[in-house]
């Protein structure tokens, strides 16, 4: 089974849902961009000024890769690795979900993580025109048909309760 997530689950204490950013659909582009441009890809994965200095170029480069091959980054996530359950976090586009549904069929579950603008701002997020309104950031906002929706508005207990339901579901498929 593959479980796709649009958003970040890293605020959870639940170790089963912690993510390896190199295995995130949204992280694969950062890793590949960093490698191709001889940059520190680990720093491209965080919320630092380093990442922001390259973010527009990274988004443009990623869009060019996706236009040439919509499954490019999705294949990078799964190539050479087998898991009975995939938790692929940080999908960014409908084409990402379509690729995983084609590759894994009915085993694919989609998870949308949502947070209010206020809670995002409390975590340090500042809207940047041309970046935060790009497809890489909001391409799934109108997708709608997610199997799971997790609310991450800053209530850690509520987040844990929601994630526990997802963990129970995943374990039931092992």
């Amino acid at each position: 089974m593959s479980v796709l997530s649009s958003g970040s689950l890293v605020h959870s204490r639940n170790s089963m849902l912690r993510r390896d950013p190199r295995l995130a659909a949204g992280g694969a582009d950062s890793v590949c961009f960093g490698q191709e441009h001889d940059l520190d890809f680990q720093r491209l994965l965080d919320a630092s000024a380093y990442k922001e200095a390259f973010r527009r170029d990274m988004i443009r480069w990623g869009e060019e890769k996706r236009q040439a091959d919509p499954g490019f980054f999705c294949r990078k996530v799964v190539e050479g690795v087998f898991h009975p359950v995939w938790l692929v976090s940080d999908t960014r586009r409908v084409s990402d979900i379509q690729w995983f549904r084609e590759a894994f069929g009915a085993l694919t579950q989609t998870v949308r993580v949502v947070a209010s603008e206020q809670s995002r701002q409390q975590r340090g997020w500042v809207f940047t025109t041309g970046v935060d309104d790009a497809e890489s950031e909001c391409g799934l906002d109108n997708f709608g048909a997610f199997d799971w929706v997790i609310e991450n508005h800053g209530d850690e207990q509520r987040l844990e309760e929601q994630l526990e339901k997802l963990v129970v579901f995943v374990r039931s498929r092992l």
Side-chain angles (χ1 to χ4, degrees), residues 6-56:
S6 171
S8 177
L9 298 176
V10 296
H11 296 297
S12 170
R13 289 175 296 174
N14 191 321
S15 62
M16 183 173 181
L17 293 178
R18 291 191 192 276
R19 69 181 179 138
D20 179 343
R22 294 166 297 172
L23 298 179
D29 57 352
S30 299
V31 172
C32 293
F33 180 83
Q35 290 171 338
E36 187 169 307
H37 294 89
D38 198 29
L39 299 171
D40 182 348
F41 77 83
Q42 291 289 353
R43 295 189 62 205
L44 293 174
L45 294 167
D46 62 24
S48 66
Y50 182 86
K51 174 184 178 176
E52 292 303 314
F54 297 103
R55 195 166 175 206
R56 285 183 199 268

Side-chain angles (χ1 to χ4, degrees), residues 15-162:
S15 62
M16 183 173 181
L17 293 178
R18 291 191 192 276
R19 69 181 179 138
D20 179 343
R22 294 166 297 172
L23 298 179
D29 57 352
S30 299
V31 172
C32 293
F33 180 83
Q35 290 171 338
E36 187 169 307
H37 294 89
D38 198 29
L39 299 171
D40 182 348
F41 77 83
Q42 291 289 353
R43 295 189 62 205
L44 293 174
L45 294 167
D46 62 24
S48 66
Y50 182 86
K51 174 184 178 176
E52 292 303 314
F54 297 103
R55 195 166 175 206
R56 285 183 199 268
D57 290 338
M58 187 166 48
I59 289 170
R60 187 174 64 260
W61 176 86
E63 292 305 320
E64 290 170 2
K65 291 285 189 190
R66 281 180 184 85
Q67 286 174 3
D69 177 3
F72 179 82
F73 296 110
C74 296
R75 278 193 306 283
K76 292 290 185 188
V77 170
V78 302
E79 71 185 11
V81 182
F82 172 79
H83 293 292
V85 174
W86 283 89
L87 293 173
V88 182
S89 65
D90 208 19
T91 55
R92 302 292 184 110
R93 293 163 184 80
V94 172
S95 62
D96 292 342
I97 292 174
Q98 290 170 333
W99 187 91
F100 278 94
R101 284 185 170 163
E102 288 173 14
F104 295 102
L107 298 175
T108 300
Q109 293 281 299
T110 56
V111 180
R112 175 74 166 180
V113 179
V114 297
S116 67
E117 192 168 313
Q118 179 183 2
S119 65
R120 295 172 70 202
Q121 289 171 343
Q122 289 172 343
R123 295 181 195 131
W125 175 77
V126 176
F127 182 85
T128 303
T129 302
V131 174
D132 292 310
D133 53 359
E135 183 182 12
S136 65
E137 302 304 314
C138 55
L140 294 174
D141 286 355
N142 297 313
F143 179 71
F146 290 93
D147 299 301
W148 300 81
V149 177
I150 305 293
E151 296 179 3
N152 187 7
H153 302 299
D155 181 341
E156 192 169 326
Q157 181 178 347
R158 175 73 180 122
L159 177 62
E160 290 297 324
E161 291 168 359
Q162 296 172 86

